[in-house]
Amino acid sequence: MADPRFFSGRGPLPLGRVAAIAGAGLPDGADPDRPVEDVAGLDAAGPAHLSFFDNRAYLDAFRVSRAGFCITRPAMAGEAPAGMLVLASPEPFRSFCLAAQAFHPPAAAVPGVAPGAIVDPTARIDAGAEIAAGAVVGARAEVGPRVRIGANAVVGEAVAIGADTVVGPGASLSHCLIGERVTIYPGARVGQDGFGFAMHRQGHVRLPQLGRVIIEDDVEVGANTTIDRGAGPDTVIGRGTMIDNLVQIGHNVVIGPGSVIVAQVGISGSTKLGEFVVLAGQSAIAGHLTIGAGARVGPQAGVVRDVAPGEDVIGSPAVARRQFWRQVVAVARLARKESG
Amino acid sequence: MADPRFFSGRGPLPLGRVAAIAGAGLPDGADPDRPVEDVAGLDAAGPAHLSFFDNRAYLDAFRVSRAGFCITRPAMAGEAPAGMLVLASPEPFRSFCLAAQAFHPPAAAVPGVAPGAIVDPTARIDAGAEIAAGAVVGARAEVGPRVRIGANAVVGEAVAIGADTVVGPGASLSHCLIGERVTIYPGARVGQDGFGFAMHRQGHVRLPQLGRVIIEDDVEVGANTTIDRGAGPDTVIGRGTMIDNLVQIGHNVVIGPGSVIVAQVGISGSTKLGEFVVLAGQSAIAGHLTIGAGARVGPQAGVVRDVAPGEDVIGSPAVARRQFWRQVVAVARLARKESG
Amino acid sequence: MADPRFFSGRGPLPLGRVAAIAGAGLPDGADPDRPVEDVAGLDAAGPAHLSFFDNRAYLDAFRVSRAGFCITRPAMAGEAPAGMLVLASPEPFRSFCLAAQAFHPPAAAVPGVAPGAIVDPTARIDAGAEIAAGAVVGARAEVGPRVRIGANAVVGEAVAIGADTVVGPGASLSHCLIGERVTIYPGARVGQDGFGFAMHRQGHVRLPQLGRVIIEDDVEVGANTTIDRGAGPDTVIGRGTMIDNLVQIGHNVVIGPGSVIVAQVGISGSTKLGEFVVLAGQSAIAGHLTIGAGARVGPQAGVVRDVAPGEDVIGSPAVARRQFWRQVVAVARLARKESG
């Protein structure tokens, strides 16, 4: 259960409302007014909690769970322990996430400029926005309704931030336009110069970076992630893309909507990703490449050529996943043979 | 020698006291009142300095060192140059570290709230704690005795920090309980949401992250490292674990006591490490795995299966170290044969 | 074209001056007084803009570019579209960078200490330096002429910063001496303790880190990059070296002048790099190694032995580039044979 020191949920909520929010079906005869206290995992849940079961690896935990309510696929309902009320959903995890959001909505903005925040007089701050202690907002910046700017964050000159966006503590933004419902996690760096210069023995010569960063609606940018602004074109993060911590995104990169970029990935300059691309942790994409829609790149992969839509690659240099595993097996066999 | 611009040591200290602190033995007839000025490396040390010699790769440097005092293993004492007083220890480097700490103890807290720091009136700050300029401490936070909160650091609501802990400049903490004698380096991010959501074409749905981060006593968290809070369970860093810079630790990860996590490592969600695990630089561990006590993971390894206690793995995908090197040799031979 | 919301160029500039700054030749009869508005890429440029063409991969873009002015190699001038004035240079990209800097010079310091900045009374701040809102400057620090300290940056005790250096928002510096014309990007961490301790079952024992970080003139340190101070010797970044984002540089590392360190690289303690070394993205160098002048390390390489001057290595463990690609081919063939 969530520690009340840090979390104050909205529960209890009536079962019928929870099911409706979750897009899950109640069994016949269930009382829609039964109170649900909160959400919890299968192990931690008690009789007043809602849990979920989707991955069969957790079947044993499901069978002995004390959860009073549980979302699962219709086909799995028969495995439920006695006393558990089962809510049916074709997408149990998604349903659970929706329910959990109802119990634990994002914190609301506390409108106003906190003591110790420094806001340039030419910045335009919506009356419903929150500027926390120590935050700095530069000249001509625009901060939309219900935006929350965290403690000691820095919003650079002329940066625009759409409604309901959250900027975490200590993050810094410059030369960027940020959409609505975006979350920038603590310490993220958005909009600084890209890494562009002419190499030369007498001293590398920097190229002024004259593009911007455009972050569309519903994007998340992880803690201490860095997104450089474009060199001339813009760096663009498409709507709904989720970026984890410590990711590096070079100048002019364009990431399509709905992509998922796991921690410590690096994307080199001018590479374009289609929609719904998944890059697993610590993978890297060389510059000036095209990664097609729906492509998947495995953990620690090093991609040095274009990837077709829907292709699944891994390895360094990255190859098709099936080929990679064949190589792994072949090399293991070769080594055994030689030492045997 | 340490630059006095930045370091003001406690020396000179009497030889007998230094030896006692270091757990090192003095030779017969040594004068325990001889002053030792400071510690220094074999190359840099002079007649008033204490050095150490342990790794035989540095034997030449030992033989010509001008150090007046040197800690080494008894078996190596015979190689010492004339005029060097040898202190004997079975663990010369550990003894040297202990001695060095005596000359250079951690800076003491300057009690009080500095100008420009913003402390919520409901926060409880020990009278002996230091809150540096620009730091922000949120509502209901608890800061223990002799704690040092660095300039522009952010301590979130209800965060608790034990005695003698140091939080570096620009670091941010939320949803966490921090033990005693912990060091959080500059820019570290502790306690933000983990990377958890249901993927969906109509928009990924975020799962509220309802766990905490628990950091036990004597832990170090490196600069710009990120530790996400649990999704429901907690993320836990065991007592005495050392975490280097730019490390990513996902939600629900549990790290056993005394582990060593080198720079740029990534540990995916829900993975558990036993005690005294060593993860070398840039290695990565997939999610939901168990890494046994005393296991060692090599640099750039990619671990995708459980690792047994004491096992030593490397490669991507990681295999036993011996097998990895056999594979490296076999592949090199194969390539030579084909091109030969 | 640069968005005027964020960029206000110095254009128009007369063609003759632009050519002189760029070190590029004008064709016979060109009017040196023709105005050039700004720089732009081949695709985006219009009749009043200066572009460049160097990489033949962009030949098609060159042939249809609407740029009024374009820098290219003399041999390529014949491919220019009608109406384009061609400036000849043996190094078109370098010439273009120089021209672009003339249109978009670095922002000048706004002298003085902004509201909300906290400067210790013993710090010495040049009258022409800018200390932005929320920045903290410690005791005895020295900040030179025209230096810009960004919002919420932290300059530690006794740190010295040379003329024309820029410290980005939220960066933190301690125990370091910074040269002239250095750029420290947002969130970079310079000078904290290195990762040094004696491992021990009863608790690892930290070694006080008594060295400094020396950053020579004209260096760039990327966003959220971490550079630890030396353990006894110094950590040194040579003149003109360019370091990208999220790079880890361990204690006692010495990097020669003019080196290029791409994003997410890790350099372990006490390793020395010669001049003009290039480390590609996500590569890693083990500790106590020597990397010769002009060496090149490929992306994701893991270097575990010394690298000779001019050598080109890749792979993990890294081998000569040619050998690496032979191995890649041999393994692919082996896997095909086994599964075929």
Side-chain angles (χ1 to χ4, degrees):
Chain A
M1 252 56 47
D3 181 349
R5 179 181 185 108
F6 295 112
F7 303 94
S8 54
R10 292 285 173 84
L13 299 176
L15 175 61
R17 181 139 83 93
V18 172
I21 289 168
L26 287 184
D28 289 346
D31 175 4
D33 294 328
R34 274 184 68 183
V36 182
E37 286 287 343
D38 203 346
V39 293
L42 287 171
D43 288 344
H49 297 118
L50 173 70
S51 194
F52 82 103
F53 168 55
D54 194 7
N55 182 342
R56 291 192 69 88
Y58 293 92
L59 181 58
D60 289 348
F62 179 56
R63 285 179 170 150
V64 302
S65 176
R66 295 178 57 250
F69 311 89
C70 188
I71 305 174
T72 190
R73 292 176 196 274
M76 290 166 166
E79 309 275 4
M84 176 187 279
L85 187 150
V86 172
L87 293 80
S89 167
E91 300 171 310
F93 182 49
R94 179 162 181 261
S95 290
F96 182 75
C97 289
L98 290 166
Q101 288 181 355
F103 286 96
H104 298 277
V110 178
V113 176
I118 307 284
V119 176
D120 189 277
T122 65
R124 290 188 292 168
I125 313 292
D126 186 274
E130 170 181 354
I131 314 293
V136 175
V137 180
R140 297 179 295 115
E142 299 173 52
V143 176
R146 299 172 301 280
V147 165
R148 304 178 64 206
I149 306 293
N152 285 342
V154 177
V155 177
E157 274 186 37
V159 165
I161 300 177
D164 299 298
T165 281
V166 177
V167 178
S172 61
L173 311 176
S174 73
H175 303 84
C176 60
L177 306 175
I178 311 282
E180 304 190 347
R181 298 173 304 281
V182 169
T183 305
I184 309 285
Y185 281 89
R189 310 291 163 194
V190 177
Q192 56 283 339
D193 283 11
F195 198 60
F197 49 89
M199 288 179 66
H200 201 273
R201 302 288 298 193
Q202 259 63 54
H204 309 314
V205 183
R206 198 161 235 311
L207 178 66
Q209 302 286 299
L210 304 175
R212 308 165 299 180
V213 175
I214 309 296
I215 295 187
E216 297 180 358
D217 297 342
D218 300 301
V219 163
E220 303 215 347
V221 176
N224 283 349
T225 279
T226 57
I227 304 179
D228 288 347
R229 72 171 182 265
D234 294 320
T235 302
V236 181
I237 313 297
R239 179 181 180 122
T241 282
M242 311 293 273
I243 301 172
D244 202 351
N245 299 340
L246 293 168
V247 168
Q248 153 70 0
I249 297 180
H251 55 189
N252 310 344
V253 165
V254 176
I255 300 184
S259 292
V260 174
I261 316 293
V262 181
Q264 296 178 316
V265 163
I267 307 179
S268 302
S270 302
T271 280
K272 315 287 182 227
L273 276 64
E275 59 176 4
F276 297 105
V277 169
V278 177
L279 306 184
Q282 291 194 350
S283 61
I285 318 288
H288 299 272
L289 298 181
T290 298
I291 311 298
R296 302 178 70 92
V297 174
Q300 297 190 321
V303 177
V304 294
R305 59 154 174 90
D306 289 348
V307 175
E311 207 185 339
D312 189 350
V313 300
I314 187 170
S316 179
V319 294
R321 179 178 295 267
R322 176 188 295 227
Q323 182 185 345
F324 174 76
W325 286 107
R326 271 189 201 137
Q327 292 179 182
V328 166
V329 169
V331 167
R333 196 174 297 158
L334 177 72
R336 265 201 309 276
K337 204 186 305 174
E338 299 220 348
S339 62
Chain B
M1 251 55 48
D3 181 349
R5 180 181 183 107
F6 296 112
F7 303 94
S8 53
R10 292 285 173 83
L13 299 175
L15 175 61
R17 181 138 84 93
V18 172
I21 289 169
L26 288 184
D28 290 346
D31 174 5
D33 293 328
R34 273 184 68 184
V36 182
E37 285 288 341
D38 203 347
V39 292
L42 286 171
D43 288 344
H49 297 118
L50 173 68
S51 195
F52 82 104
F53 168 55
D54 194 9
N55 182 342
R56 291 191 69 88
Y58 292 92
L59 180 58
D60 288 349
F62 179 56
R63 284 179 171 150
V64 302
S65 175
R66 295 178 56 250
F69 310 89
C70 189
I71 305 174
T72 192
R73 293 176 196 275
M76 291 166 165
E79 309 276 3
M84 176 188 280
L85 185 150
V86 171
L87 294 80
S89 166
E91 300 170 310
F93 182 49
R94 179 164 182 261
S95 290
F96 182 74
C97 289
L98 290 166
Q101 288 181 355
F103 285 96
H104 298 277
V110 178
V113 176
I118 307 283
V119 176
D120 189 276
T122 64
R124 290 188 290 168
I125 312 292
D126 186 274
E130 169 180 356
I131 314 293
V136 175
V137 180
R140 297 179 295 116
E142 300 173 51
V143 177
R146 297 172 303 280
V147 165
R148 304 178 64 207
I149 306 293
N152 285 341
V154 177
V155 178
E157 275 186 36
V159 165
I161 301 177
D164 298 299
T165 281
V166 176
V167 177
S172 61
L173 311 177
S174 74
H175 303 84
C176 60
L177 306 176
I178 311 281
E180 304 191 346
R181 296 174 305 281
V182 169
T183 305
I184 309 285
Y185 281 89
R189 310 293 162 192
V190 177
Q192 56 283 339
D193 284 10
F195 198 59
F197 49 88
M199 289 179 67
H200 201 274
R201 301 288 297 193
Q202 259 63 54
H204 308 314
V205 183
R206 199 161 233 312
L207 178 64
Q209 303 285 299
L210 304 175
R212 309 165 299 179
V213 175
I214 310 296
I215 296 186
E216 297 180 359
D217 297 341
D218 299 302
V219 163
E220 303 214 348
V221 176
N224 283 348
T225 279
T226 56
I227 303 179
D228 288 346
R229 73 172 181 265
D234 295 319
T235 303
V236 181
I237 313 297
R239 179 180 179 121
T241 282
M242 311 293 273
I243 302 172
D244 202 350
N245 299 340
L246 293 169
V247 168
Q248 154 68 2
I249 296 180
H251 56 189
N252 311 343
V253 166
V254 175
I255 300 183
S259 292
V260 174
I261 316 293
V262 181
Q264 296 177 317
V265 162
I267 307 179
S268 301
S270 303
T271 280
K272 316 286 181 228
L273 276 64
E275 59 176 6
F276 296 105
V277 169
V278 177
L279 306 185
Q282 290 194 351
S283 61
I285 318 288
H288 298 272
L289 298 181
T290 299
I291 310 298
R296 302 177 71 92
V297 173
Q300 296 190 321
V303 177
V304 293
R305 59 156 174 87
D306 289 348
V307 175
E311 208 185 339
D312 189 349
V313 300
I314 186 170
S316 179
V319 294
R321 179 178 295 267
R322 176 188 295 227
Q323 181 185 345
F324 175 77
W325 286 107
R326 271 188 200 139
Q327 292 179 181
V328 166
V329 169
V331 167
R333 198 174 295 159
L334 177 71
R336 264 200 311 275
K337 205 185 306 175
E338 301 219 348
S339 63
Chain C
M1 252 56 47
D3 181 349
R5 179 180 185 108
F6 297 112
F7 303 94
S8 53
R10 293 283 174 85
L13 300 175
L15 176 61
R17 182 141 81 92
V18 172
I21 289 168
L26 287 185
D28 290 345
D31 175 5
D33 294 328
R34 273 185 68 183
V36 181
E37 285 288 342
D38 202 347
V39 292
L42 286 171
D43 288 344
H49 298 119
L50 172 69
S51 194
F52 82 103
F53 168 55
D54 193 9
N55 182 342
R56 291 191 69 87
Y58 292 92
L59 180 58
D60 288 348
F62 179 56
R63 284 178 171 151
V64 302
S65 176
R66 296 178 57 249
F69 310 89
C70 189
I71 306 174
T72 190
R73 294 175 195 275
M76 289 166 168
E79 309 274 5
M84 177 188 278
L85 186 149
V86 171
L87 295 79
S89 166
E91 300 171 310
F93 181 49
R94 178 163 183 261
S95 290
F96 181 75
C97 289
L98 291 166
Q101 288 181 354
F103 286 96
H104 298 277
V110 178
V113 176
I118 307 284
V119 176
D120 189 276
T122 63
R124 289 187 291 167
I125 313 292
D126 186 274
E130 170 180 355
I131 314 293
V136 175
V137 181
R140 297 179 296 114
E142 299 174 51
V143 176
R146 298 172 302 280
V147 165
R148 303 178 64 207
I149 306 293
N152 286 341
V154 177
V155 178
E157 276 186 35
V159 165
I161 301 177
D164 298 298
T165 281
V166 176
V167 177
S172 60
L173 312 177
S174 73
H175 304 85
C176 60
L177 306 176
I178 312 282
E180 303 190 348
R181 297 173 305 281
V182 169
T183 304
I184 309 285
Y185 281 90
R189 310 292 161 192
V190 177
Q192 56 283 339
D193 284 10
F195 198 59
F197 49 89
M199 288 179 67
H200 201 273
R201 301 287 298 192
Q202 258 63 55
H204 308 313
V205 183
R206 198 161 235 311
L207 179 65
Q209 303 286 297
L210 304 175
R212 308 166 299 180
V213 175
I214 309 296
I215 296 186
E216 297 179 359
D217 297 342
D218 299 301
V219 164
E220 302 215 348
V221 176
N224 283 348
T225 279
T226 56
I227 304 178
D228 289 345
R229 72 172 182 265
D234 294 320
T235 303
V236 181
I237 313 297
R239 181 180 178 122
T241 282
M242 311 293 273
I243 301 173
D244 202 349
N245 300 340
L246 293 168
V247 169
Q248 154 68 1
I249 297 180
H251 55 190
N252 310 344
V253 166
V254 176
I255 300 183
S259 292
V260 174
I261 316 292
V262 182
Q264 297 177 317
V265 162
I267 307 179
S268 302
S270 302
T271 280
K272 315 286 182 228
L273 275 63
E275 60 176 3
F276 296 104
V277 169
V278 177
L279 306 185
Q282 291 194 351
S283 61
I285 318 288
H288 297 271
L289 297 181
T290 299
I291 311 299
R296 301 177 72 91
V297 174
Q300 297 190 320
V303 177
V304 293
R305 60 155 174 87
D306 289 349
V307 175
E311 207 184 340
D312 189 349
V313 300
I314 186 170
S316 179
V319 295
R321 179 177 295 267
R322 175 188 295 228
Q323 181 185 344
F324 174 77
W325 285 106
R326 271 190 200 137
Q327 292 179 181
V328 166
V329 169
V331 166
R333 197 175 295 160
L334 177 71
R336 265 200 309 276
K337 204 185 305 174
E338 300 219 348
S339 63

